[in-house]
Amino acid sequence: MASRWIPLESNPDANYSSWVVLNSWSIKAGLVPSVGFGDVYGLDESLLAMVPQPVKAVVLLFPISPESEARRKTEDETIASKGQPELDPTIVWIKQTISNACGTMGLIHAIANSDATLEPLSPLAKFIEQCIGKTPEERAKLLETTPLFADIHAQAASSGQTAVPTNLDTNLHFTCFVAAPSPSGEGPRVVELDGRRNGPIDRGACTDLLADAAKIIRDQYIGDSQSMQFNVMSLGPSFA
């Protein structure tokens, strides 16, 4: 990892909404105020129905555990050996090379791979434009060498409810889910974007991004876990 940032806070036990931190980052980066992140309070149908539509991306914060690391390793090896459906070549995916930058990575992946509107000439709009045609590693280097993103990340990380930690090690990680066209023309796909993986991951046909992502999160991440450190947020119409 090139350097280490302060982890972004997204605390499901906090007495304020987690989207405050994510939206602080997004507004500084250039997301228009009419679009923002909001908490998804549960993964059952009635609670999903409360989420403002249309959902443009879903962001998940989850605890890294020996079990999750074993699943990640097995899945990466399976994809490497057997492949996966062809993915949309215009997907913007960035390899994570900065420790604790997964929050920023998740937000960039969510916004860059949706139709969320950015302010013209904003830092994120310029960054996404510069990413076009570059490899994931070149995009990572671009992120490393753009001090403004480190500053925005630090400001957002410092705006959380809890004090900035002196120990920057964390076992929490962000990933995100977006809808992407299928190059084969078979309809949109749910694609998971996680900078720690070997690339974008096809998660199957997309009929309703929020409902589909909720099922993936239940099946692939929560399962029988007893942890309370999961947090799900959606990118969509702002209700703040």
Side-chain angles (χ1 to χ4, degrees):
M1 293 283 179
S3 59
R4 175 173 288 198
W5 290 359
I6 302 168
L8 284 189
E9 179 178 303
S10 180
N11 183 359
D13 296 323
N15 59 14
Y16 78 119
S17 293
S18 302
W19 50 259
V20 170
V21 173
L22 303 195
N23 286 332
S24 171
W25 184 99
S26 301
I27 291 171
K28 288 182 174 68
L31 190 65
V32 298
S34 60
V35 182
F37 290 90
D39 287 319
V40 177
Y41 292 106
L43 300 179
D44 63 270
E45 188 174 346
S46 62
L47 292 174
L48 294 178
M50 298 170 60
V51 177
Q53 294 285 341
V55 170
K56 301 175 182 294
V58 176
V59 175
L60 168 68
L61 178 75
F62 66 94
I64 295 174
S65 66
E67 293 77 17
S68 70
E69 288 295 271
R71 285 195 302 271
R72 176 173 71 91
K73 183 174 183 292
T74 298
E75 184 172 47
D76 285 347
E77 290 173 348
T78 299
I79 293 174
S81 63
K82 298 183 178 179
Q84 63 177 352
E86 184 183 1
L87 296 174
D88 178 14
T90 66
I91 290 172
V92 176
W93 179 76
I94 307 165
K95 185 68 177 176
Q96 183 177 340
T97 57
I98 304 170
S99 181
N100 293 339
C102 60
T104 282
M105 300 285 293
L107 295 174
I108 292 176
H109 282 149
I111 296 169
N113 294 286
S114 71
D115 61 356
T117 304
L118 293 168
E119 298 286 358
L121 304 180
S122 65
L124 189 50
K126 292 179 181 178
F127 178 80
I128 293 170
E129 184 176 359
Q130 291 175 316
C131 282
I132 297 173
K134 288 184 169 59
T135 67
E137 292 75 19
E138 289 171 336
R139 294 166 182 167
K141 191 66 176 178
L142 182 62
L143 183 62
E144 291 175 24
T145 55
T146 305
L148 184 58
F149 279 108
D151 294 341
I152 293 172
H153 181 104
Q155 292 169 24
S158 300
S159 70
Q161 181 191 35
T162 56
V164 174
T166 54
N167 181 0
L168 297 183
D169 291 330
T170 178
N171 70 334
L172 299 176
H173 186 68
F174 284 89
T175 188
C176 89
F177 304 88
V178 299
S182 169
S184 65
E186 295 179 355
R189 311 290 292 180
V190 179
V191 178
E192 181 174 358
L193 302 170
D194 180 343
R196 292 179 71 232
R197 307 300 291 264
N198 294 330
I201 301 172
D202 180 273
R203 291 297 186 194
C206 181
T207 54
D208 178 300
L209 178 59
L210 180 61
D212 294 337
K215 184 177 188 306
I216 294 164
I217 291 167
R218 286 194 301 266
D219 294 347
Q220 300 285 333
Y221 284 94
I222 297 179
D224 297 326
S225 174
Q226 300 302 308
S227 174
M228 300 297 291
Q229 292 184 297
F230 292 92
N231 203 6
V232 182
M233 286 145 286
S234 65
L235 174 64
S238 176
F239 56 85

